[in-house]
Amino acid sequence: MAETLLFNALREAIDEEMAKDPTVLVMGEDVGHYGGSYKVTKDLYKKYGEWRLLDTPIAENSFTGMAVGAAMTGLRPIIEGMNMGFLLLAFNQIANNAGMLRYTSGGNFKIPMVIRGPGGVGRQLGAEHSQRLEAYFQAVPGLKIVACSTPYNAKGLLKSAIRDDNPVLFFEHVLLYNLKENLPEGEYYLPLDKAEVVRSGSDVTILTYSRMRHHVIQATKTLEKQGYDPEVIDLLSLKPLDFETIGASIRKTHRVIVVEECMRTGGIGAELIASINDRFFDELDGPVIRLSSQDIPTPYNGTLESLTIVQPHQIVEAVEKIVNLKV
């Protein structure tokens, strides 16, 4: 076991897959000589050359379209968005091209590409650099969407994403890059369609992902002292959602709280609640509680910024409310 930072776990995943498969390449702004905006590709150009660590112009629609073409011809490109918010400039290439070409070509083309990079609310990065785009792409057919939350799952999920024959959007949170964890020696892969039960419990199911996993864990420490027994599930896969794991938990606890950093209106939580009501309504002892970010551009001011996203004390209050709800 070796203690590894999350950004280095991602680097190890890319390095291992590039060493195994000469069709894997990375392209994006500053991914080569600079090593990526958060050093995920640091010095890999020295090992694999500048054509496999391709520094591109600041033209997201152009290099994302080029990556789609590369994937169609047998390569496995990894796109790094210097900030995931910038990939809104490539929405057409991701949605209409990457997401749909396998279908619209009648299966003649596979699109094995990964689109990864930093996102989420950081520390005073301003509105345009604090985007959470997972819900923007949730409705696009043909895409898989993953959100890592620890060094262990970051490495295992990214390796699987690189090997997948479909386009995978891989969301990394800007505030988790320096998270440390001991990783096992040797190779491992994690499935792209399975959630993780972080903590087993019987009182309430808490569904979360990305950085909010750690806010939920912090809240759980308080809840345990108060005698509550929450079950915590890190979704990991946002598309498809793992309703087998979610359903098994709901049948046990009969109460659900969704904790997300995504916006409340049209967010991942909105889709979760609709699907839970469709599939498991008879198992619920009360309405699903949703804790989401406020529907405003993220303020630059640090105090205001923290008020826009869910904090651990709000999670504690939600558990107290739903567990003590009279039915």
Side-chain angles (χ1 to χ4, degrees), residues 38 83 117-123 125 129 172-178:
Y38 289 89
N83 180 281
V121 177
R123 290 195 175 93
L125 297 178
H129 290 68
E172 304 152 15
H173 199 287
V174 68
L175 290 183
L176 297 183
Y177 280 123
N178 289 324

Side-chain angles (χ1 to χ4, degrees), residues 22-231:
T23 67
V24 177
L25 73 153
V26 182
M27 61 177 75
E29 296 144 358
D30 289 337
V31 298
H33 288 256
Y34 187 71
S37 54
Y38 289 89
K39 302 305 178 186
V40 172
T41 55
K42 183 181 179 182
D43 292 336
L44 290 181
Y45 82 95
K46 295 178 181 178
K47 188 173 182 180
Y48 298 107
E50 296 178 347
W51 284 106
R52 292 184 70 191
L53 274 295
L54 185 63
D55 284 320
T56 66
I58 303 174
E60 285 80 8
N61 59 341
S62 298
F63 67 72
T64 304
M66 181 170 68
V68 174
M72 292 172 71
T73 58
L75 299 179
R76 291 185 175 270
I78 304 168
I79 291 289
E80 176 176 314
M82 185 180 285
N83 180 281
M84 288 301 255
F86 302 159
L87 291 177
L88 288 175
L89 295 162
F91 195 99
N92 179 63
Q93 284 72 28
I94 296 170
N96 282 331
N97 301 150
M100 299 188 189
L101 267 169
R102 192 168 189 178
Y103 174 80
T104 56
S105 71
N108 286 314
F109 295 107
K110 296 181 294 185
I111 314 294
M113 62 184 289
V114 177
I115 302 155
R116 53 153 295 271
V121 177
R123 290 195 175 93
Q124 295 184 263
L125 297 178
E128 292 184 9
H129 290 68
S130 302
Q131 296 276 34
R132 288 132 287 173
L133 299 187
E134 53 267 28
Y136 285 56
F137 292 100
Q138 183 77 0
V140 177
L143 300 178
K144 296 184 178 183
I145 304 177
V146 172
C148 65
S149 56
T150 68
Y152 176 78
N153 65 45
K155 181 177 180 180
L157 290 168
L158 184 54
K159 286 174 68 69
S160 295
I162 294 169
R163 293 196 169 201
D164 200 279
D165 284 337
N166 300 285
V168 180
L169 266 66
F170 196 94
F171 286 93
E172 304 152 15
H173 199 287
V174 68
L175 290 183
L176 297 183
Y177 280 123
N178 289 324
L179 197 66
K180 294 180 180 179
E181 187 177 19
N182 290 323
L183 298 188
E185 300 292 338
E187 277 196 300
Y188 66 93
Y189 299 84
L190 295 178
L192 296 179
D193 59 353
K194 294 295 181 185
E196 176 190 352
V197 179
V198 179
R199 183 191 187 278
S200 294
S202 59
D203 285 344
V204 57
T205 298
I206 303 178
L207 303 174
T208 190
Y209 65 93
S210 190
R211 183 191 175 207
M212 284 297 129
R213 166 181 174 142
H214 303 282
H215 279 208
V216 170
I217 290 171
Q218 188 176 336
T220 298
K221 293 175 182 177
T222 301
L223 290 164
E224 287 173 344
K225 293 176 183 176
Q226 296 177 359
Y228 293 99
D229 186 26
E231 179 148 301

Side-chain angles (χ1 to χ4, degrees), residues 8-30:
N8 274 328
L10 294 167
R11 184 183 181 279
E12 287 179 14
I14 294 171
D15 189 9
E16 289 175 12
E17 294 305 305
M18 291 186 77
K20 282 180 171 293
D21 186 349
T23 67
V24 177
L25 73 153
V26 182
M27 61 177 75
E29 296 144 358
D30 289 337

